[in-house]
Amino acid sequence: MMYIRQRKETKTIEVSEDFPLPKEDVKLEKKLPSGRASGRFWKLLSSAVGGAVALCIGLLTSVYLATLHENDLWFSNIKEVEREISFRTECGLYYSYYKQMLQAPTLRQGFHGLIYDNKTESMRTINLLQRMNIYQEVFLSVLYRVLPIQKYLEPVYFYIYTLFGLQAIYVTALYTTSWLLSGTWLSGLLAAIWYITNRIDTTRVEFTIPLRENWALPFFAIQIAAITYFLRPNLQTLSERLTLFAIFVSTFLFSLTWQFNQFMLLLQALVLFILDSLDMLPAVKATWLYGIQISCLLLVCTLQFFNSMILGSLLISFNLSVLIVRKLQKNLKTGTFLVRTGKLLLHLLLVFCLTLFLNNIIKKILNLKSDEHIFKFLKAKFGFGATRDFDANLYLCEEAFGLLPLNTFQRLSETLLFYAYVFVLLVTVITASVVAFHNLSESSDPQCTGQTRARAVDLKPEAAYNLTHTILFGVLALSTMRMKYLWTSHMCVFASFGLCSSEIWELLLRLLHLCNPKRIWVMRYSVPVLTLLYLCCKSWPGMMDELSELKEFYDPDTVELMNWINSNTPRKAVFAGSMQLLAGVKLCTGRTLTNHPHYEDKSLRERTQAVYQIYAKRSPEDVHALLRSFGADFVILEDSICYERRHHRGCRLRDLLDVANGHEMDGPGESDPDLRPAEHPRFCEEIKRNLPSYTAHFTRVFQNKTFHVYKLSRSK
């Protein structure tokens, strides 16, 4: 197993934009026309300083994460095979296609190898560009071949530096979003510092570099920043068009680089739908954003050779339903409070029913079953009945797909982020509730359109969008830990915006009868400055210790296995084993696989369950027949799976297989009454006894402390 060990080496004042000058200064301004020019100069200077700070903090974050990666693995000193093994599970699979493109004699042959691939899944030719989101690997490989950098930069460094560079863009986008919401770049600085000091909960890029989310989330952050600006009122036509273009490009790149794009965009569409229904953002702008989502998904679908999973996504069905129902209910926003509430409930029901109807029709037409495991998982997760489905239970038993641990909030509280976030969330939720009630209570008489209604409480559309966004993505993170990185990064943005928001401080001071522009200004800047000072004093020593701690990659058993495969097996040999290990086999050796970790295909899921019978209670004849049906020449057994102790009883891989096969589980504890004792012992244990019934079909050709490799006989 791979782990990290210690190295043996010796260690070597901004002006508020929200409050104009008092009226008594008007006469002075008339006498001194240069006052406006001076104010404009200081505003430009402040913007220039804020922009420079954004770039610097983004670059520093990138360098910081790259240094941590180097210090953890001693990446510059280890062998190439060790570098590749460090790309664990699906990360190694994705990186292998970058390597494959670089090793192809020509770009044309490289593209042909991806479109007609017969090494990722044995006895099957698949289109990788259709099945997986690997255009980023294709783009980087083309760029590396074209640019004159081969003599100065190794391919692996070009790859990882690109990902760390995207982190600079990510942090800059978070900074910009907070700045746009609050009106001061101090808010952006606080958001970036919170992102860095809460690194454990905001990113995992330094140890899962090729993961799809590390490519996608920077573009998602850019999209959120662009939407935040787009929702501002009274934008000039040119600014609005440029912003729409930025939203389109960022949404397209986000969708192209992550297979879970449709689910994230669906939540975003729900945000727009809620705000549009409550009249908290312009319906025209919501329509533009719905259209951009649909067009980007269709464009990605085209580039992925009409991937049916995209066409059958809930997002496309939902957005179409919203637009259709809106056309049918033209007078949705008229009438008294009770009338509008009734219309709104009817609107929700119509959209929900039409979404399910369209989605079912599309899936039946396309015969789509690629995403059914996700819905089985969700059904079981939220208590709509227990399941023995192997795929659903495989997700349910993984910690990453469980509930968000409570110690996450303890870590976030240590940097004051969670406290600030809850404070801002409470204030804005109360404000939004009041605004929504007023919107539903007020008549939308055409004669009143365009008139400004004076309100004691108001919430800007861009703030309302980010509020609803953080709530929905917070619910997602609480239910599924793997998705917390979408929430915690936005948590930094939202909390920093609230602490630097003149509107929030004005509301609170007004409630205390202490409101005046000077006090608002003091609170708006003193609280974030004090928070920044606290973060620097608390986090700086720990960050310095982290940067000075030198470790190195150490996984001799896996290195030995990969070297043996390269030296002792034919190039066309087919290997069976666990999904995680086989991704490394493909990257390090280029051998053909029976299965792999990219799980978004029904036939692959069925194949994986069949291959995993090597850890079930099956006869050697059955296992041999299953593996040979996929063309396997060698099978790799892992002691860490066969004798697994990481999960509790009922969640070990062998338990999931036993239940799916109708067999009782091993170990102390009760099994379901309909489960029966198996007729055969566990294959991965019994094969090591070298009994004749096993040696007739399997010959051990390699073993070490972790792995056992068996060659399959050709006899049936």
Side-chain angles (χ1 to χ4, degrees):
M1 295 296 292
M2 186 187 81
Y3 59 93
I4 304 299
R5 68 177 185 183
Q6 290 293 131
R7 293 188 192 173
K8 298 179 181 178
E9 299 287 332
T10 305
K11 292 185 180 179
T12 10
I13 307 178
E14 184 183 358
V15 179
S16 171
E17 300 171 6
D18 296 318
F19 292 92
L21 293 172
K23 291 184 178 179
E24 53 266 25
D25 291 334
V26 172
K27 293 182 180 179
L28 182 61
E29 288 183 6
K30 290 181 179 178
K31 294 180 181 179
L32 298 173
S34 62
R36 289 185 179 179
S38 176
R40 190 176 301 153
F41 168 77
W42 286 111
K43 187 175 181 179
L44 289 173
L45 180 61
S46 175
S47 298
V49 172
V53 171
L55 293 176
C56 289
I57 199 72
L59 290 172
L60 285 174
T61 304
S62 176
V63 172
Y64 172 60
L65 293 172
T67 304
L68 288 178
H69 175 258
E70 168 64 23
N71 289 357
D72 279 344
L73 301 177
W74 206 359
F75 201 74
S76 59
N77 189 67
I78 58 179
K79 300 175 182 178
E80 185 67 19
V81 65
E82 293 175 311
R83 291 175 177 176
E84 292 177 347
I85 293 171
S86 72
F87 296 141
R88 294 174 290 179
T89 65
E90 60 186 291
C91 297
L93 183 68
Y94 297 133
Y95 183 80
S96 72
Y97 300 122
Y98 170 71
K99 179 180 177 181
Q100 180 178 324
M101 281 291 292
L102 290 177
Q103 291 178 342
T106 65
L107 285 175
R108 184 175 181 179
Q109 288 176 284
F111 275 103
H112 186 273
L114 295 179
I115 296 173
Y116 301 98
D117 178 89
N118 54 13
K119 295 182 75 66
T120 302
E121 295 177 17
S122 58
M123 303 183 72
R124 184 183 294 169
T125 299
I126 61 173
N127 185 343
L128 293 170
L129 295 178
Q130 179 189 50
R131 178 81 70 82
M132 304 182 192
N133 298 73
I134 58 168
Y135 270 102
Q136 49 268 51
E137 277 75 24
V138 174
F139 174 75
L140 273 195
S141 63
V142 172
L143 202 60
Y144 185 80
R145 295 175 71 136
V146 171
L147 295 176
I149 57 175
Q150 289 87 348
K151 295 182 180 179
Y152 315 103
L153 194 64
E154 296 176 63
V156 66
Y157 276 106
F158 182 66
Y159 188 93
I160 65 173
Y161 286 165
T162 299
L163 268 299
F164 288 128
L166 281 177
Q167 284 295 302
I169 296 174
Y170 190 17
V171 172
T172 304
L174 298 176
Y175 179 110
T176 304
T177 304
S178 187
W179 185 358
L180 288 170
L181 286 168
S182 66
T184 170
W185 57 262
L186 183 63
S187 172
L189 178 60
L190 181 56
I193 296 299
W194 259 330
Y195 179 87
I196 297 168
T197 54
N198 292 280
R199 173 185 59 81
I200 294 175
D201 295 300
T202 55
T203 184
R204 50 177 176 169
V205 66
E206 74 271 20
F207 60 88
T208 58
I209 294 177
L211 207 61
R212 302 300 84 181
E213 68 187 47
N214 295 328
W215 285 96
L217 292 187
F219 300 119
F220 195 47
I222 294 172
Q223 187 229 38
I224 294 171
I227 290 176
T228 300
Y229 183 76
F230 175 68
L231 293 178
R232 285 184 165 188
N234 305 319
L235 283 182
Q236 294 182 356
T237 304
L238 180 60
S239 297
E240 192 172 83
R241 289 178 179 176
L242 290 175
T243 308
L244 282 171
F245 178 73
I247 295 172
F248 177 83
V249 172
S250 55
T251 305
F252 167 70
L253 292 175
F254 169 71
S255 303
L256 188 66
T257 51
W258 197 15
Q259 69 269 30
F260 294 139
N261 59 71
Q262 53 178 292
F263 303 105
M264 305 306 110
L265 292 178
L266 177 62
L267 283 182
Q268 191 177 68
L270 286 172
V271 172
L272 298 173
F273 177 70
I274 292 169
L275 296 177
D276 183 24
S277 300
L278 296 175
D279 206 15
M280 296 180 73
L281 59 77
V284 175
K285 292 190 174 183
T287 303
W288 271 107
L289 296 175
Y290 288 136
I292 286 175
Q293 286 188 336
I294 294 174
S295 58
C296 286
L297 241 64
L298 292 178
L299 181 56
V300 170
C301 179
T302 304
L303 286 175
Q304 289 194 271
F305 296 83
F306 300 98
N307 187 320
S308 59
M309 190 172 173
I310 296 175
L311 291 174
S313 67
L314 275 173
L315 174 67
I316 290 180
S317 302
F318 176 78
N319 285 6
L320 289 175
S321 300
V322 171
L323 297 176
I324 292 170
V325 174
R326 185 195 286 172
K327 285 290 183 182
L328 297 175
Q329 282 187 298
K330 294 182 179 179
N331 59 345
L332 178 65
K333 299 180 180 180
T334 58
T336 62
F337 176 79
L338 291 177
V339 172
R340 290 192 65 176
T341 303
K343 289 180 179 179
L344 183 57
L345 292 175
L346 178 61
H347 185 67
L348 294 174
L349 182 62
L350 289 174
V351 169
F352 177 75
C353 293
L354 186 57
T355 299
L356 294 181
F357 175 75
L358 288 177
N359 194 250
N360 284 328
I361 291 296
I362 293 171
K363 286 185 174 180
K364 285 183 179 179
I365 293 173
L366 299 175
N367 193 27
L368 178 62
K369 297 180 180 179
S370 297
D371 59 352
E372 64 180 10
H373 65 298
I374 297 174
F375 296 102
K376 288 180 181 177
F377 159 71
L378 293 174
K379 182 180 177 181
K381 183 178 179 66
F382 294 111
F384 295 104
T387 180
R388 289 182 179 176
D389 182 77
F390 175 77
D391 302 317
N393 284 327
L394 200 60
Y395 281 108
L396 285 170
C397 288
E398 281 299 321
E399 185 182 6
F401 292 94
L403 299 177
L404 188 66
L406 293 178
N407 60 6
T408 304
F409 302 107
Q410 181 181 352
R411 290 192 299 269
L412 296 174
S413 299
E414 290 174 357
T415 60
L416 304 181
L417 173 59
F418 186 65
Y419 298 130
Y421 177 77
V422 171
F423 162 71
V424 177
L425 188 65
L426 286 174
V427 174
T428 49
V429 164
I430 294 171
T431 304
S433 301
V434 173
V435 171
F437 178 78
H438 277 297
N439 288 345
L440 292 176
S441 301
E442 292 175 350
S443 173
S444 296
D445 191 338
Q447 295 179 354
C448 300
T449 303
Q451 295 181 6
T452 304
R453 293 184 283 260
R455 289 179 178 172
V457 177
D458 203 0
L459 191 66
K460 296 178 180 178
E462 60 268 32
Y465 169 81
N466 279 274
L467 168 64
T468 317
H469 179 103
T470 198
I471 291 173
L472 291 191
F473 279 86
V475 172
L476 176 66
L478 290 171
S479 64
T480 308
M481 188 184 74
R482 182 177 177 179
M483 298 302 173
K484 73 175 181 178
Y485 302 102
L486 288 153
W487 181 45
T488 50
S489 58
H490 193 265
M491 186 187 289
C492 301
V493 170
F494 197 74
S496 61
F497 141 68
L499 294 188
C500 297
S501 170
S502 57
E503 289 85 358
I504 287 180
W505 289 117
E506 180 184 5
L507 177 63
L508 292 175
L509 291 173
R510 192 189 301 162
L511 291 173
L512 298 172
H513 304 288
L514 297 172
C515 184
N516 66 50
K518 185 175 181 180
R519 288 196 182 103
I520 294 172
W521 188 92
V522 169
M523 295 301 294
R524 185 189 185 195
Y525 291 104
S526 62
V527 173
V529 166
L530 290 173
T531 305
L532 282 170
L533 290 174
Y534 171 81
L535 290 174
C536 291
C537 293
K538 179 176 178 57
S539 303
W540 184 260
M543 292 174 67
M544 291 300 101
D545 290 342
E546 211 173 23
L547 290 172
S548 63
E549 187 176 7
L550 303 179
K551 304 174 184 178
E552 70 174 319
F553 174 90
Y554 186 73
D555 189 4
D557 290 346
T558 307
V559 171
E560 184 184 12
L561 172 66
M562 298 304 172
N563 289 335
W564 180 86
I565 292 174
N566 273 320
S567 303
N568 297 278
T569 63
R571 291 288 299 173
K572 294 184 178 181
V574 179
F575 278 79
S578 70
M579 296 183 291
Q580 297 81 356
L581 179 62
L582 290 186
V585 170
K586 185 178 189 313
L587 171 58
C588 298
T589 71
R591 301 304 190 264
T592 305
L593 314 179
T594 56
N595 53 303
H596 55 82
H598 195 273
Y599 221 48
E600 279 68 47
D601 181 76
K602 184 180 180 183
S603 60
L604 175 66
R605 294 194 295 271
E606 293 172 348
R607 176 184 281 221
T608 298
Q609 185 176 352
V611 170
Y612 276 9
Q613 297 304 310
I614 57 179
Y615 297 109
K617 298 172 182 177
R618 299 290 293 269
S619 68
E621 293 79 13
D622 289 345
V623 173
H624 181 269
L626 282 170
L627 296 180
R628 286 301 301 158
S629 69
F630 304 127
D633 299 309
F634 297 88
V635 59
I636 307 174
L637 297 175
E638 300 169 64
D639 287 345
S640 59
I641 298 178
C642 190
Y643 307 106
E644 181 183 359
R645 296 179 180 178
R646 184 169 65 96
H647 291 104
H648 59 79
R649 183 178 186 268
C651 265
R652 300 169 298 188
L653 179 61
R654 62 179 185 267
D655 297 334
L656 303 183
L657 291 165
D658 288 343
V659 171
N661 293 339
H663 298 154
E664 292 180 349
M665 294 182 287
D666 292 338
E670 295 183 358
S671 297
D672 291 342
D674 60 325
L675 297 178
R676 297 288 180 264
E679 296 179 2
H680 303 280
R682 193 166 305 281
F683 177 83
C684 63
E685 297 175 355
E686 200 70 9
I687 192 175
K688 296 170 186 175
R689 297 177 58 191
N690 293 323
L691 298 175
S693 58
Y694 288 83
T695 56
H697 302 287
F698 301 92
T699 304
R700 185 163 57 196
V701 291
F702 173 85
Q703 71 171 344
N704 59 23
K705 292 184 294 184
T706 305
F707 304 106
H708 303 263
V709 181
Y710 292 87
K711 185 175 182 179
L712 278 71
S713 65
R714 294 283 179 175
S715 60
K716 295 184 180 180

